[in-house]
Amino acid sequence: MKFLWGLLAGFALGVAAGLLLAPQSGEATRAQLTEQGIMLRDRAGKLPDDLRARATDVVDQGREIYSRTKDDLTERYTKAKSGDL
């Protein structure tokens, strides 16, 4: 998780440095930063919903694997108990 935050911070700093050092007027740079800030805010607003959907998918997959494993082990146990193995 630390790596991800570091990667995101490095990316953000790189973008900011590139924008500030770009050969354009301050007004154009500020307008570009404002536009990108709005886009970033919109993306960040969608992030919790995306994470929630992914977490739900993972939980569903975990439940399915648990159910299959439980059924398989129950079947093997029943066969072993009856001596069919």
Side-chain angles (χ1 to χ4, degrees), residues 11-34:
F11 178 75
L13 289 173
V15 168
L19 287 173
L20 293 175
L21 298 175
Q24 61 184 3
S25 71
E27 185 176 324
T29 300
R30 284 190 295 277
Q32 191 174 10
L33 286 172
T34 301

Side-chain angles (χ1 to χ4, degrees), residues 11-83:
F11 178 75
L13 289 173
V15 168
L19 287 173
L20 293 175
L21 298 175
Q24 61 184 3
S25 71
E27 185 176 324
T29 300
R30 284 190 295 277
Q32 191 174 10
L33 286 172
T34 301
E35 183 181 319
Q36 289 185 355
I38 291 169
M39 287 182 1
L40 187 59
R41 184 185 64 208
D42 292 344
R43 285 185 189 171
K46 296 176 186 176
L47 187 60
D49 294 334
D50 292 344
L51 290 175
R52 187 174 295 114
R54 287 183 182 182
T56 301
D57 290 344
V58 168
V59 168
D60 290 344
Q61 288 176 358
R63 286 183 178 151
E64 181 181 328
I65 291 170
Y66 169 78
S67 178
R68 279 189 281 147
T69 304
K70 179 183 166 195
D71 293 344
D72 184 44
L73 290 175
T74 301
E75 182 181 334
R76 288 179 186 214
Y77 174 76
T78 304
K79 284 182 179 180
K81 191 174 179 183
S82 67

